[in-house]
């Protein structure tokens, strides 16, 4: 009986230690998140929190959530092991939003300037942060054609990551990339509201302590 009990304890002990270590790491990240947000909440401007483990993006001000956006899927290539604060340097899209051009010779009153709306924003784009963090955003597929595009883009994204990793290594620059799939409207809202210079806290997906140890 005692032998069987010892065997059971030996069998479950690594799992218990792994779970406890994982729990401790997440508590440290929770505390770090509160520290980082406390610094941003003391400032008047809006800031963002990319909570990738929870698949959420939150716009906040003074600690109050202004709006929340959903993430359907997260792909990660490299990246820091811990949560961090990053400033948005630029955002780029193949088709940037813009107002309609006024044609020469058109008299006043014959046209109306249309204000940019959410529907005018791109849903496919890239966000470049400081410290070599790059986030690509794709809309959630809503049909066969968009599903093919999404699958093809994801495959090309993975195939091209080694090249960018080696290139930045040769330049002695940090590099990490993420590919986020979001509902189309949420993707456009993120582009519309997130402008250069804003700060963001990025919480990276949890790492598996068992696979990391291996």
């Amino acid at each position: 009986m005692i032998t069987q009990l010892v065997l059971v304890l030996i069998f479950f002990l690594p799992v218990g230690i792994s779970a406890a270590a994982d729990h401790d790491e997440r508590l440290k990240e929770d505390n770090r998140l509160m520290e980082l947000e406390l610094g941003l909440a003391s400032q008047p401007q809006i800031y963002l929190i990319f909570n990738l483990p929870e698949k959420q993006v939150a716009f906040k001000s003074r600690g109050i959530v202004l709006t929340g956006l959903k993430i359907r899927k997260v792909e990660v290539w490299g990246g820091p092991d811990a949560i961090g604060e990053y400033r948005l340097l630029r955002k780029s899209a193949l088709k940037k939003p813009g107002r309609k051009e006024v044609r020469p010779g058109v008299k006043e009153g014959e046209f109306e300037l249309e204000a940019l709306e959410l529907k005018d924003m791109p849903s496919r784009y890239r966000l470049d942060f400081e410290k070599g963090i790059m986030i690509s955003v794709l809309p959630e597929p809503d049909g066969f054609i968009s599903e093919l595009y999404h699958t093809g883009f994801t495959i090309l994204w993975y195939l091209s990551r080694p090249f960018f990793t080696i290139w930045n290594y040769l330049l002695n620059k940090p590099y990490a990339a993420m590919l986020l799939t979001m509902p189309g409207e949420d993707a456009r809202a993120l582009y519309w509201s997130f402008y250069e210079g804003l700060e963001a806290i990025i919480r990276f997906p949890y790492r598996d302590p068992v696979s990391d140890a291996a």
Side-chain angles (χ1 to χ4, degrees), residues 196-207:
E196 288 87 347
L198 282 185
E199 298 280 355
I201 298 174
I202 301 178
R203 187 171 193 170
F204 298 92
Y206 302 128
R207 296 183 182 272

Side-chain angles (χ1 to χ4, degrees), residues 55-74:
K55 296 183 178 179
Q56 295 177 349
V57 180
F59 282 82
K60 305 185 73 173
S61 177
R62 301 290 190 181
I64 300 175
V65 177
L66 303 177
T67 187
L69 307 175
K70 298 177 182 178
I71 302 173
R72 298 300 189 198
K73 191 175 182 180
V74 179

Side-chain angles (χ1 to χ4, degrees), residues 84-147:
E85 178 183 329
Y86 306 90
R87 185 186 303 274
L88 180 65
L89 300 179
R90 68 187 65 86
K91 53 185 180 180
S92 56
L94 291 177
K95 186 178 180 181
K96 293 185 178 182
R99 301 180 187 274
K100 288 186 177 181
E101 296 183 357
V102 178
R103 292 171 298 171
V106 177
K107 297 181 180 179
E108 183 179 357
E110 294 184 1
F111 62 89
E112 293 182 3
L113 290 178
E114 295 184 356
L116 291 177
E117 299 178 359
L118 181 60
K119 63 181 178 63
D120 301 314
M121 300 297 113
S123 57
R124 298 178 179 88
Y125 52 88
R126 193 182 75 188
L127 304 173
D128 294 350
F129 296 83
E130 58 186 356
K131 304 176 186 177
I133 303 294
M134 297 182 181
I135 295 181
S136 298
V137 178
L138 285 180
E140 185 178 20
D142 59 356
F144 179 72
I145 300 299
S146 60
E147 183 71 43

Side-chain angles (χ1 to χ4, degrees), residues 1 4 21 24-25 30-31 34 36 39 60 96-97 100 112 129 132 143 147 154 177 179 189 197 200 206 209:
M1 181 66 180
Q4 293 176 343
D24 289 343
E25 287 300 316
D30 289 338
N31 292 332
M34 289 188 289
L36 292 173
K60 305 185 73 173
K96 293 185 178 182
K100 288 186 177 181
E112 293 182 3
F129 296 83
E147 183 71 43
T154 302
L179 177 60
Y206 302 128

Side-chain angles (χ1 to χ4, degrees), residues 8-20 210:
V8 171
L9 289 175
I10 292 175
F11 179 79
F12 284 105
L13 185 58
V15 178
I17 293 175
S18 174
V210 176

Side-chain angles (χ1 to χ4, degrees), residues 151-186:
T151 301
F153 186 95
T154 302
I155 292 174
L156 290 175
W157 185 84
Y158 269 111
L159 291 176
S160 61
R161 291 316 99 186
F163 169 79
F164 289 110
T165 300
I166 295 173
W167 178 255
N168 283 276
Y169 175 78
L170 295 175
L171 295 177
N172 197 27
K173 293 182 179 180
Y175 175 75
M178 278 144 278
L179 177 60
L180 308 184
T181 300
M182 305 178 66
E185 187 170 342
D186 285 12

